[in-house]
Amino acid sequence: MAVQRYSRQRELIYDTVCASTAHPTAEMVYAALKPDHPHLSRGTVYRNLHLLAGQGKLRRLPFPVERFDGHLEPHSHFCCQACGQVSDVHNAYDPALDGAAQAMGHQVDRHEIVYYGVCAHCRAEAE
Ligand SMILES: [Zn+2]
Ligand SMILES: [Zn+2]
């Protein structure tokens, strides 16, 4: 019984991350699910996110507050310094960028680009 409940919660948590374009933090996933799932605890959300990331189903993102991404293919991110929002940037993955590290003898599996600045939404609000 318990096992079944846990796997259903995990699926729910996984689906929430995959359906989101916000690259949610554990807290954001918890806040999104809590209204419809009052028995869900922060600990369960946190534990399952890490479990899913450990299984390679979600990607942990290297931002000051850990975020999760259900979109696994290499892609870039924009991080707004005003509102903290993280969004996808649809640029082409450029294998030439791996060259600098390969020239040092490293095996490169992927690289990640993070752009920092002020997002279009915050810019529009500032006008
Ligand atoms: Zn912003
Ligand atoms: Zn992303």
Side-chain angles (χ1 to χ4, degrees):
M1 278 299 272
V3 170
Q4 208 170 22
R5 189 175 79 237
Y6 288 141
S7 62
R8 207 179 36 166
Q9 286 179 332
R10 187 170 309 142
E11 213 164 290
L12 204 65
I13 289 163
Y14 176 71
D15 290 345
T16 303
V17 175
C18 289
S20 171
T21 56
H23 303 82
T25 62
E27 187 61 33
M28 286 159 78
V29 173
Y30 172 74
L33 289 173
K34 190 67 178 168
D36 290 331
H37 307 275
H39 299 298
L40 193 70
S41 73
R42 276 190 172 78
T44 300
V45 171
Y46 190 82
R47 231 178 11 253
N48 279 296
L49 285 169
H50 284 268
L51 208 130
L52 287 160
Q55 292 172 343
K57 290 184 177 161
L58 295 179
R59 190 141 73 90
R60 241 185 284 260
L61 300 180
F63 289 95
V65 176
E66 198 164 51
R67 287 171 174 266
F68 295 87
D69 199 346
H71 179 185
L72 296 180
E73 54 277 28
H75 62 281
S76 301
H77 291 106
F78 184 88
C79 180
C80 177
Q81 302 298 90
C83 69
Q85 206 177 73
V86 175
S87 52
D88 286 339
V89 175
H90 303 284
N91 59 351
Y93 186 87
D94 182 1
L97 289 176
D98 295 343
Q102 282 163 342
M104 297 169 72
H106 300 311
Q107 178 201 312
V108 179
D109 297 324
R110 65 189 166 91
H111 64 255
E112 290 179 11
I113 295 174
V114 182
Y115 300 87
Y116 294 94
V118 180
C119 75
H121 181 77
C122 289
R123 290 189 63 207
E125 277 197 345
E127 305 226 323

